[in-house]
Amino acid sequence: MPLLQLSQDGCSLSLITNSGQCQYDVPITRELIDTQLHELGVENFYRFEPAITEALELLNVAVSNEEQDSDVAVEIRQIVIAERRDAGLLVKTEPDLMTASVTVTGAFGGAQVTGQQLITALQENHIVKGISKAVLQELLVQAQQLAPGEKLTMGVAFGREPQHGRETWFEPLVADASQRILCPQATEDGKVDMLDLGALITVEAGQAVMKRHPPTQGVDGFNVLGKLISALPGEERPFEPGDGTAIDESDDSLLIAVKSGIPRRMPCGAQVDDALTLAGVDVSTGHIQFDGSVVIEGDVKPGMKVSATGNITVSGFVELATLEAGGDIFVAQGIIGRQQENKTLPCRIQAKGKVVSKFAQYAEIVAHESVSCTLHVLHCQIKTSGLVSVMDQSRRQGTLSGGTVDAGQGVIAVNIGAAAGVTTEIVVFSHYQQWRDRLGELYQKIEHERRNGRKLKQAKLKLLKVTAAKRPPELIEKLKAASASHQQTMADLKHRYQVLRQRYDQTLKNAKITATTHFYAHIRCQIEKEFMMVDEEHGPSVVCYDERRLQRLAYHA
């Protein structure tokens, strides 16, 4: 009698055992079973290991009982030890319904997965959108090469996040004065004159200075089940003309100058300032306070103070001085302070716009928009709502080391810290609590409006209990008006909450501390409320908020 027997349909394999009579002279082993599986060509069948163990025990008991009575009744049993199995197929959808994956399990001697099976499985799981045909084809190819029981998982369907509309944006139509600082003029012999910043940027009356682009509606997204995810439309923002500018009567998307002067950009508009030009600022000129923009074609000497409602442009150095501008501050050569025993720094630069310089050291710099230096920033105290950038246009030099930096949007430099291990503190998105407070206020208003909605619903139900003839018409109209107002208020509050939440999440996602070449040790990093200490030197790195915590990742340009 054969040891193994294949079923008539070829789908299962049984091991034949006798009780009471032995037909085998030697113990039956798994190696012997494996040999016969190969001889039958079913070595890839799925094996029932407990059944094989049971059958082996029965067989080997019979083999050991060689002196048993031949007249004992023989009971023949068939124990199924293996079966043919087709390739397995499992569809899984992520909780957010934005990704669906397929897991294929290699066949145990059975049929391989077909394209039609994949499509049917997706349909049965209601996966109808974002299916990648290329990925399905690749899955089929790789599935054919799977060993029995081997698993292969691939994402095959992908939802599309909504692309929220862009808010109104304003395009400057005149050159930025900061480019004069960052790009000194070349002389006839090809050299660069660091003191020659080219012609002063001015505008004439009637010249367009800014263009307003309308907001976009955005592009709706979808999940893998085909459900639409609505995009939030961009916010409409009107022009805010400043002094010396007006909206063009023939084109309300253009802002024009109404007088000649120096243009100054503002978040939602521009203004044109009168200009005061000086050779330098020292004891001979005294402190400068001017209603407009100030252009200094030399240095600002120690102890001096320059205040302007517009921009301040300095062609030379600012040393141990104070600059305050209602617009931007541009310093061509550098900002020089001095180390003090206390934390107060004697060189102070403050701008409602941005601060741009070649370098800064031992200085306090406060800028609403951003701070940019091309060479280095050493032992400074910097605070800005925008980005701090320390690198030249070639991105080859730029070191931020020592001091403290509080940047709303992020920090990027070629090198952060120093090989000597200078302690540097960097905080990004420190004003997150203001955003959270605003979100909390909106949420409370939404909850309050929900309670109003429930009260309206109760009033309607109470009114419905009254017979139609006895319902006061004025009360019906009042409830209709209140219901319409409630729905409009809820829609407005939810939209405002969604927009603010989306901005918060995007700001947090973009908040990064980046060193494109060296990230030295002793750097204390904080983003939002999370912080980490970088205690070892690293190459190109970026510290960012990822997976609910701060992480240092390799930086790739």
Side-chain angles (χ1 to χ4, degrees):
M1 182 179 293
L3 180 62
L4 301 179
Q5 182 175 334
L6 191 63
S7 63
Q8 291 184 353
D9 61 7
C11 291
S12 64
L13 185 73
S14 300
L15 193 149
I16 310 301
T17 67
N18 301 350
S19 64
Q21 188 172 17
C22 177
Q23 296 186 11
Y24 308 104
D25 297 329
V26 295
I28 308 302
T29 64
R30 285 181 179 269
E31 289 74 13
L32 180 59
I33 292 177
D34 289 340
T35 300
Q36 293 199 15
L37 287 173
H38 279 276
E39 291 174 353
L40 291 172
V42 295
E43 65 276 8
N44 288 333
F45 274 29
Y46 180 81
R47 303 180 189 184
F48 300 107
E49 296 297 336
I52 295 175
T53 300
E54 178 188 357
L56 286 174
E57 289 177 353
L58 290 173
L59 285 169
N60 290 321
V61 166
V63 169
S64 64
N65 188 11
E66 295 181 353
E67 297 182 355
Q68 58 189 319
D69 189 345
S70 61
D71 294 331
V72 175
V74 177
E75 180 186 354
I76 300 177
R77 295 179 57 189
Q78 288 188 339
I79 300 178
V80 177
I81 64 168
E83 69 178 10
R84 185 190 307 274
R85 288 187 178 182
D86 295 339
L89 197 58
L90 175 67
V91 178
K92 180 181 178 181
T93 306
E94 295 301 318
D96 61 2
L97 303 179
M98 296 302 288
T99 305
S101 60
V102 171
T103 298
V104 178
T105 303
F108 290 89
Q112 300 289 355
V113 171
T114 65
Q116 185 57 50
Q117 286 178 316
L118 280 176
I119 294 173
T120 301
L122 292 173
Q123 291 174 343
E124 290 175 348
N125 285 272
H126 310 292
I127 311 299
V128 297
K129 197 76 171 175
I131 300 172
S132 172
K133 293 182 180 179
V135 174
L136 288 179
Q137 292 173 351
E138 180 64 22
L139 179 63
L140 285 173
V141 171
Q142 293 191 29
Q144 307 300 317
Q145 304 170 7
L146 292 176
E150 183 182 0
K151 295 181 182 295
L152 170 65
T153 301
M154 295 180 67
V156 298
F158 308 92
R160 185 181 69 194
E161 296 287 351
Q163 298 178 18
H164 299 298
R166 181 177 183 178
E167 65 180 11
T168 303
W169 64 284
F170 302 88
E171 178 189 3
L173 301 179
V174 293
D176 186 354
S178 65
Q179 298 307 311
R180 301 175 65 245
I181 301 299
L182 301 176
C183 300
Q185 302 298 301
T187 58
E188 293 181 358
D189 59 1
K191 297 181 179 179
V192 175
D193 184 354
M194 298 303 294
L195 297 178
D196 182 8
L197 301 181
L200 189 66
I201 297 173
T202 60
V203 294
E204 302 294 332
Q207 182 178 343
V209 294
M210 184 168 285
K211 183 176 182 179
R212 181 172 63 92
H213 294 269
T216 60
Q217 291 300 309
V219 179
D220 292 335
F222 56 81
N223 62 27
V224 294
L225 303 185
K227 184 178 179 181
L228 187 70
I229 305 175
S230 300
L232 299 175
E235 182 182 355
E236 177 76 39
R237 301 170 67 191
F239 263 135
E240 296 179 3
D243 293 339
T245 64
I247 298 174
D248 192 340
E249 295 180 357
S250 60
D251 185 352
D252 62 5
S253 67
L254 286 179
L255 193 66
I256 62 172
V258 296
K259 69 176 185 179
S260 300
I262 296 178
R264 175 158 63 94
R265 300 178 186 177
M266 297 187 299
C268 299
Q271 75 179 56
V272 177
D273 294 330
D274 295 325
L276 172 66
T277 302
L278 301 167
V281 176
D282 53 24
V283 291
S284 65
T285 62
H287 299 313
I288 302 298
Q289 186 172 357
F290 185 70
D291 185 7
S293 293
V294 175
V295 178
I296 301 168
E297 297 179 342
D299 301 329
V300 179
K301 297 297 184 179
M304 305 310 299
K305 180 177 180 179
V306 179
S307 176
T309 59
N311 298 340
I312 297 176
T313 302
V314 181
S315 299
F317 293 93
V318 174
E319 183 178 358
L320 296 170
T322 300
L323 270 58
E324 296 179 355
D328 303 326
I329 293 179
F330 310 106
V331 182
Q333 295 305 304
I335 301 167
I336 304 172
R338 183 180 299 156
Q339 186 174 9
Q340 301 290 308
E341 292 183 0
N342 55 23
K343 292 186 177 181
T344 303
L345 296 175
C347 189
R348 188 170 189 274
I349 311 296
Q350 181 173 346
K352 290 184 178 180
K354 56 191 172 185
V355 172
V356 179
S357 180
K358 185 177 180 180
F359 68 83
Q361 55 194 43
Y362 293 106
E364 179 185 353
I365 302 175
V366 179
H368 179 71
E369 291 186 13
S370 64
V371 175
S372 301
C373 290
T374 59
L375 185 57
H376 63 244
V377 172
L378 306 178
H379 306 286
C380 291
Q381 296 174 9
I382 297 178
K383 185 176 181 62
T384 177
S385 299
L387 178 72
V388 173
S389 172
V390 188
M391 60 174 52
D392 60 3
Q393 289 185 322
S394 67
R395 300 171 72 94
R396 294 179 179 175
Q397 63 179 5
T399 296
L400 170 63
S401 179
T404 62
V405 176
D406 185 340
Q409 295 181 4
V411 173
I412 183 169
V414 177
N415 304 305
I416 295 181
V422 177
T423 300
T424 307
E425 296 186 10
I426 301 175
V427 181
V428 176
F429 196 22
S430 62
H431 57 294
Y432 71 93
Q433 192 58 50
Q434 300 174 19
W435 291 66
R436 286 179 174 265
D437 291 343
R438 290 165 60 193
L439 285 168
E441 291 172 3
L442 283 173
Y443 181 80
Q444 292 299 324
K445 290 180 179 179
I446 290 173
E447 288 300 303
H448 175 73
E449 198 59 37
R450 281 184 178 142
R451 289 192 291 270
N452 289 341
R454 288 192 288 269
K455 291 178 181 178
L456 281 171
K457 187 176 181 179
Q458 292 173 357
K460 288 180 181 179
L461 292 173
K462 187 176 181 180
L463 186 62
L464 287 173
K465 294 179 180 179
V466 180
T467 58
K470 294 183 179 181
R471 294 173 190 167
E474 63 276 8
L475 181 57
I476 294 174
E477 291 301 319
K478 186 176 180 180
L479 282 174
K480 284 184 179 179
S483 180
S485 175
H486 163 71
Q487 291 177 3
Q488 180 62 42
T489 302
M490 277 294 290
D492 178 63
L493 288 173
K494 287 182 177 180
H495 175 73
R496 288 165 58 192
Y497 184 89
Q498 286 179 315
V499 169
L500 188 60
R501 183 75 227 188
Q502 188 253 339
R503 288 181 179 174
Y504 182 94
D505 293 340
Q506 192 63 43
T507 301
L508 181 57
K509 180 180 179 181
N510 294 336
K512 298 176 181 178
I513 302 171
T514 304
T516 62
T517 301
H518 286 107
F519 208 108
Y520 291 99
H522 300 290
I523 312 297
R524 186 185 188 278
C525 303
Q526 179 177 340
I527 298 179
E528 201 208 38
K529 61 182 177 180
E530 303 295 327
F531 72 91
M532 68 179 294
M533 191 73 183
V534 179
D535 294 320
E536 298 179 356
E537 180 180 342
H538 300 279
S541 302
V542 55
V543 174
C544 59
Y545 188 86
D546 188 45
E547 297 182 352
R548 298 182 179 272
R549 64 189 179 93
L550 282 196
Q551 297 192 56
R552 186 203 61 81
L553 307 174
Y555 170 75
H556 302 286

